[in-house]
């Protein structure tokens, strides 16, 4: 490939000589060379070749308040000067982590007033697994160890995170899942609903939870973990019947419910949390990403008061990270939440931009390649199919990857999960920018169709 900017080649050489990138085919990336992103502002990225790209994925689902907010840089710099690091082990604390805990308690669902901080969402879920087992042990039920999760859920990439996740291609590498984690089917009607109506399929998928609890024996089950809407799995919005039925099942059996809010949290659905959107009552919520708008790594686990009351009786919880509640990350998260509140960013998503995006995206349903458009808040998915009526795919053609490449080449980041195109733009996207996103998406669908027909 020829480059306008000679530095692009130099950076790509550094990449191939020294860098191992996450979730990548190392050899292929070496040959092709990565796209080098140099700067960003608002909802736009620029690469080293000078191309301006509309970031339809908010980085990796995280840049909620958009790129280039000086206030976050200021908060980090001030905190670095004041207290760049201190740990929270050995009965110490610092102001930013305490103020952030309170700020999260203020926006979290009622009765969730404590936070355990981590460096990432994966660490949040590792923490969850250990805390759930510790909780039941304190209650004198140490056998309640098993965690039920879902096929094609995503819960991170550490050993526990990847085990909790239901991605078979991750399980294949490294002998996962670890013992004590089992998976039930996902509520993905478009791909797996067959001849059932979405409503009937939603009930069927929810009932799998009850069947699994009964099969394992409730005395052996510690928790059920789920994303309110599966993100990395392909923006899978469950049928309307799903969560109400799950709630009934959770009310019936004495197990904990963990909402993985790493993607849905901090405004993505037009509410603070996906749990608010669906009226769920989690015992724990995993958070990360939007917590700091991705400006600095931070994750955590928000814990319900009744669970904390039990943990308070259990002595030491032998778990924590060097960077748990890092003061600089905490200061950035606090400033991020302040901006979200003061600028009423989530309110604007709820009232204006989410309805507008959902309406504009659904206009793509008339495209010959599009089998379904779905979404909630500022999350969207476009299913690419050969036959709209039967939902049959273009098997083996890599349609999603073709479309994704056209998007890159035409100044739009839209991800492909198989043949599902997904978007999750920054929460500050404007209506005009949504128009641009949808126009570019349509153009790329046209280009993809022309390849398939050609
Ligand atoms: N839970 C959920 C729901 C996530 O989406 C994690 C946990 C793990 O967070 P960390 O901070 O450890 O990455 C995530 C992360 C993708 C993709 O391909 C999604 C994530 C991470 C990497 C890739 O969409 N989500």
């Amino acid at each position: 490939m020829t480059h306008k900017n000679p530095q692009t080649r130099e950076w790509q050489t550094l990449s191939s000589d020294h860098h191992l990138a996450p979730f990548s085919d190392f050899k292929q990336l070496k040959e092709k060379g990565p796209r080098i992103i140099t700067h960003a502002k608002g909802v736009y990225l620029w690469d080293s070749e000078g191309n301006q790209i509309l970031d339809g994925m908010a980085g990796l689902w995280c840049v909620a308040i958009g790129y280039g907010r000086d206030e976050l840089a200021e908060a980090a710099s001030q905190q670095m000067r004041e207290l760049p690091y201190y740990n929270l082990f050995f009965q110490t604390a610092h102001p930013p982590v305490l103020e952030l805990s309170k700020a999260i308690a203020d926006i979290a669902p009622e009765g969730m007033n404590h936070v355990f901080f981590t460096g990432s969402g994966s660490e949040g879920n590792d923490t969850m697994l250990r805390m759930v087992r510790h909780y039941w042990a304190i209650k004198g039920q140490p056998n309640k160890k098993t965690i039920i999760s879902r096929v094609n859920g995503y819960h991170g990439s550490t050993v526990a995170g990847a085990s909790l996740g239901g991605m078979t291609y991750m399980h294949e590498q490294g002998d996962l899942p670890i013992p004590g984690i089992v998976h039930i089917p996902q509520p993905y009607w478009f791909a797996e609903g067959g001849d059932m109506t979405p409503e009937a399929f939603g009930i069927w998928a929810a009932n799998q939870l009850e069947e699994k609890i009964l099969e394992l024996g409730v005395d052996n089950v510690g928790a059920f973990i789920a994303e309110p809407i599966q993100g990395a799995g392909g923006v899978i919005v469950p049928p309307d019947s799903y969560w109400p039925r799950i709630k009934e099942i959770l009310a019936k059996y004495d197990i904990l419910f963990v909402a993985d809010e790493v993607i849905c949290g901090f405004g993505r659905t037009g509410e603070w949390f996906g749990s608010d959107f669906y009226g769920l009552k989690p015992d724990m919520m995993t958070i990360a990403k939007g917590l700091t708008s991705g400006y600095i790594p931070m994750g955590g686990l928000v814990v319900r008061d009744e669970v904390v009351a039990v943990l308070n009786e259990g002595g030491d919880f032998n778990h924590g990270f060097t960077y748990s509640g890092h003061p600089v990350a905490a200061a950035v998260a606090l400033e991020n939440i302040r901006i979200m509140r003061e600028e009423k960013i989530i309110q604007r998503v709820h009232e204006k931009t989410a309805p507008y995006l959902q309406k504009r995206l659904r206009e793509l349903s008339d495209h010959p390649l599009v089998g379904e458009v779905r979404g909630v808040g500022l999350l969207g998915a476009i299913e690419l199919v050969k036959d709209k009526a039967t939902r049959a795919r273009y098997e083996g053609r890599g349609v999603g990857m073709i479309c994704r490449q056209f998007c890159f080449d035409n100044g739009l980041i839209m991800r492909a999960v198989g043949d599902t195109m997904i978007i999750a733009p920054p929460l500050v996207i404007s209506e005009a920018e949504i128009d641009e996103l949808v126009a570019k998406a349509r153009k790329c669908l046209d280009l993809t169709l022309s390849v398939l027909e050609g």
Side-chain angles (χ1 to χ4, degrees):
M1 218 211 289
T2 54
H3 297 294
K4 284 185 246 159
N5 174 3
Q7 257 194 310
T8 301
R9 190 66 224 140
E10 287 171 30
W11 280 319
Q12 289 180 334
T13 304
L14 292 182
S15 165
S16 81
D17 288 354
H18 302 294
H19 186 227
L20 298 176
F23 279 96
S24 299
D25 177 333
F26 296 155
K27 182 160 171 249
Q28 189 196 49
L29 189 62
K30 229 184 215 317
E31 283 155 13
K32 193 169 164 227
R35 178 186 293 267
I36 311 291
I37 303 297
T38 52
H39 57 289
K41 183 88 191 159
V43 300
Y44 293 101
L45 304 165
W46 281 264
D47 69 15
S48 57
E49 295 292 280
N51 297 305
Q52 180 175 339
I53 307 161
L54 173 56
D55 185 3
M57 280 307 295
L60 205 47
W61 322 80
C62 50
V63 187
I65 64 168
Y67 296 96
R69 292 294 302 243
D70 284 340
E71 300 93 324
L72 270 59
E74 254 329 291
S77 131
Q78 260 185 37
Q79 187 58 47
M80 278 198 189
R81 285 171 222 280
E82 184 119 353
L83 179 72
Y85 177 75
Y86 199 70
N87 71 75
L88 306 170
F89 293 46
F90 323 126
Q91 304 189 351
T92 57
H94 46 66
V97 79
L98 302 174
E99 287 166 25
L100 178 61
S101 304
K102 164 79 167 98
I104 293 171
D106 285 347
I107 56 176
E110 172 113 31
M112 302 193 78
N113 288 303
H114 293 77
V115 192
F116 190 105
F117 288 102
T118 67
S120 67
S122 300
E123 288 177 7
N125 281 327
D126 278 58
T127 302
M128 179 282 290
L129 182 128
R130 299 197 58 206
M131 195 182 274
V132 163
R133 291 179 177 173
H134 181 49
Y135 167 88
W136 288 114
I138 297 168
K139 284 182 63 118
Q141 293 169 277
N143 288 338
K144 280 174 85 68
K145 279 198 175 89
T146 302
I147 313 236
I148 301 176
S149 178
R150 301 182 302 178
V151 172
N152 200 36
Y154 190 87
H155 299 295
S157 198
T158 50
V159 169
S163 295
L164 289 162
M167 306 291 186
T168 43
Y169 57 89
M170 290 174 80
H171 294 168
E172 279 160 12
Q173 296 173 340
D175 240 347
L176 304 177
I178 52 171
I181 294 172
V182 298
H183 299 84
I184 58 172
Q186 58 177 335
Y188 187 8
W189 175 80
F190 189 85
E192 298 175 1
D195 294 335
M196 286 186 186
T197 63
E199 293 310 289
F201 180 72
I203 299 285
W204 175 85
N207 283 341
Q208 300 308 302
L209 174 61
E210 183 162 42
E211 286 188 18
K212 187 57 86 179
I213 293 171
L214 295 174
E215 176 195 319
L216 296 165
V218 69
D219 293 344
N220 298 313
V221 180
F224 170 55
I225 181 170
E227 302 154 84
I229 294 164
Q230 287 155 262
V235 180
I236 296 159
V237 181
D240 289 344
S241 55
Y242 183 76
W243 281 115
R245 178 72 190 119
I246 292 278
K247 280 196 271 183
E248 286 172 10
I249 297 166
L250 289 171
K252 210 160 135 191
Y253 299 98
D254 189 21
I255 65 171
L256 296 174
F257 171 51
V258 184
D260 186 332
E261 295 272 3
V262 169
I263 283 179
C264 291
F266 297 92
R268 183 55 56 197
T269 65
E271 305 284 347
W272 274 104
F273 293 94
S275 294
D276 300 320
F277 183 84
Y278 285 114
L280 309 176
K281 197 169 172 265
D283 298 294
M284 298 177 182
M285 295 195 309
T286 323
I287 55 173
K289 296 193 190 274
L291 167 62
T292 57
S293 279
Y295 278 53
I296 198 160
M298 183 175 235
L301 190 67
V302 189
V303 187
R304 181 165 293 285
D305 298 348
E306 289 90 329
V307 175
V308 175
V310 172
L311 297 173
N312 284 344
E313 301 305 312
D316 278 359
F317 180 40
N318 299 314
H319 176 80
F321 304 101
T322 304
Y323 300 127
S324 282
H326 192 287
V328 178
V332 170
L334 261 176
E335 185 62 7
N336 177 56
I337 293 172
R338 185 194 65 76
I339 288 175
M340 281 191 176
R341 294 182 93 160
E342 278 183 19
E343 298 182 6
K344 300 189 170 32
I345 288 174
I346 298 174
Q347 197 175 326
R348 194 171 73 111
V349 169
H350 182 95
E351 287 168 8
K352 279 194 148 157
T353 45
Y356 188 68
L357 176 78
Q358 296 303 332
K359 173 172 122 350
R360 294 283 350 255
L361 266 189
R362 277 167 182 73
E363 290 167 21
L364 297 171
S365 303
D366 67 1
H367 194 279
L369 253 185
V370 174
E372 178 178 86
V373 178
R374 60 172 178 268
V376 156
L378 291 186
L379 282 167
I382 305 168
E383 295 283 4
L384 307 185
V385 292
K386 189 172 179 185
D387 184 325
K388 284 172 184 269
T390 61
R391 318 200 292 270
R393 305 282 191 186
Y394 279 96
E395 292 299 338
R397 299 287 300 269
V399 182
M401 292 311 268
I402 296 171
C403 186
R404 185 182 84 166
Q405 191 58 46
F406 279 126
C407 290
F408 264 136
D409 297 343
N410 286 278
L412 171 66
I413 295 203
M414 181 158 71
R415 279 267 316 280
V417 177
D419 288 347
T420 312
M421 304 310 295
I422 57 176
I423 55 151
L427 303 186
V428 292
I429 193 168
S430 69
E431 297 188 351
E433 288 158 347
I434 289 173
D435 289 340
E436 181 188 337
L437 188 156
V438 174
K440 283 185 166 162
R442 182 176 289 278
K443 177 176 176 192
C444 296
L445 291 171
D446 287 343
L447 290 165
T448 306
L449 185 63
S450 66
V451 169
L452 294 168
E453 286 175 341

